[in-house]
Amino acid sequence: DTAVSQTPKYLVTQMGNDKSIKCEQNLGHDTMYWYKQDSKKFLKIMFSYNNKELIINETVPNRFSPKSPDKAHLNLHINSLELGDSAVYFCASSQLSGGDYNEQFFGPGTRLTVL
Amino acid sequence: DAKTTQPNSMESNEEEPVHLPCNHSTISGTDYIHWYRQLPSQGPEYVIHGLTSNVNNRMASLAIAEDRKSSTLILHRATLRDAAVYYCILKSYGGSNYKLTFGKGTLLTVNP
């Protein structure tokens, strides 16, 4: 069973389009994250939700809007896509409350290419 | 977040031990030392973490200097599957510090 899953795995789209990436975790965790890994392989956090509430927003353009319908899902919607949005996006989850060291489990990534 | 310094790359031979160093001279008393690795075309995965004492798990060992200003991740017998980028990350607990701040990491190449 996949612990953290993302769909789609690959996403190719034109500049200006709006797209969504979905993430689901079946670990029962209370916290989920979105990370972006650019072409230089730097991995940087974008957002984090704890119990469906936003707890981290790392100065990401407001074209990016995360949505957490429940604790097991954290989707990422991107409006007006730009060339610079091309990257691999990773979803992750962890258990904050009651956990001792907050190990994060990552999904397989979604490679977004904006043409 | 306190900063870590790692070599850009290291090379090892299969079935030999690998020692991956990390310097963190500005570590604070509440910082834990975490190691994650990222295999090619995959998401990062947790390897090990520690605070003051050396730690062992099924994947690796973590040796922490007495002054905590450096640490070493030890892979006892490298396999080809261990070829990955290894990230050393400092993470404090309590408050609202939930995030992992990844540096450049060390690219480990394992030769057959």
Side-chain angles (χ1 to χ4, degrees), chain B residues 37-55:
Chain B
R37 72 179 185 180
Q38 187 173 19
L39 302 172
S41 301
Q42 293 189 30
E45 65 174 344
Y46 167 82
V47 178
I48 201 167
H49 80 286
L51 183 61
T52 55
S53 306
N54 294 345
V55 184

Side-chain angles (χ1 to χ4, degrees), chain A:
Chain A
D1 283 344
T2 304
V4 181
S5 59
Q6 298 178 224
T7 53
K9 189 168 174 62
Y10 299 96
L11 185 53
V12 181
T13 188
Q14 300 286 331
M15 246 184 352
N17 284 350
D18 303 338
K19 289 293 178 187
S20 291
I21 307 172
K22 295 187 176 181
C23 178
E24 176 181 1
Q25 55 96 2
N26 62 8
L27 298 167
H29 288 163
D30 59 8
T31 304
M32 297 184 71
Y33 312 78
W34 277 109
Y35 287 82
K36 178 181 178 181
Q37 188 165 40
D38 61 23
S39 57
K40 294 182 179 175
K41 303 294 185 183
F42 289 117
L43 196 61
K44 196 169 179 187
I45 191 163
M46 301 172 69
F47 300 102
S48 178
Y49 272 71
N50 173 253
N51 285 318
K52 301 197 300 173
E53 287 195 23
L54 182 67
I55 57 172
I56 295 175
N57 182 343
E58 288 287 303
T59 323
V60 176
N62 57 16
R63 297 182 296 104
F64 290 78
S65 51
K67 290 222 169 24
S68 182
D70 55 58
K71 285 197 308 183
H73 296 84
L74 181 62
N75 303 324
L76 184 64
H77 188 76
I78 316 170
N79 289 328
S80 304
L81 278 155
E82 300 178 356
L83 294 177
D85 298 331
S86 295
V88 181
Y89 292 83
F90 289 100
C91 178
S93 74
S94 70
Q95 181 62 27
L96 276 190
S97 60
D100 62 346
Y101 58 83
N102 191 24
E103 174 188 346
Q104 292 188 19
F105 292 80
F106 285 78
T110 296
R111 181 175 293 278
L112 171 64
T113 303
V114 182
L115 303 174

Side-chain angles (χ1 to χ4, degrees), chain B residues 13-86:
Chain B
N13 295 321
E14 206 176 1
E15 300 196 3
E16 290 184 357
V18 182
H19 291 234
L20 296 160
C22 181
N23 286 321
H24 28 78
S25 57
T26 59
I27 190 170
S28 74
T30 57
D31 284 337
Y32 282 71
I33 302 156
H34 283 244
W35 284 81
Y36 279 73
R37 72 179 185 180
Q38 187 173 19
L39 302 172
S41 301
Q42 293 189 30
E45 65 174 344
Y46 167 82
V47 178
I48 201 167
H49 80 286
L51 183 61
T52 55
S53 306
N54 294 345
V55 184
N56 300 302
N57 66 19
R58 62 173 180 81
M59 287 180 74
S61 295
L62 177 59
I64 301 172
E66 203 167 324
D67 63 4
R68 301 211 322 129
K69 293 187 176 182
S70 65
S71 60
T72 303
L73 179 71
I74 302 165
L75 306 179
H76 296 284
R77 288 181 71 220
T79 68
L80 296 178
R81 200 198 169 273
D82 292 321
V85 178
Y86 286 79

Side-chain angles (χ1 to χ4, degrees), chain B residues 9-13 83-84 107-111:
Chain B
S9 61
M10 289 186 66
E11 211 168 312
S12 170
N13 295 321
L107 174 63
L108 175 66
T109 302
V110 180
N111 300 314

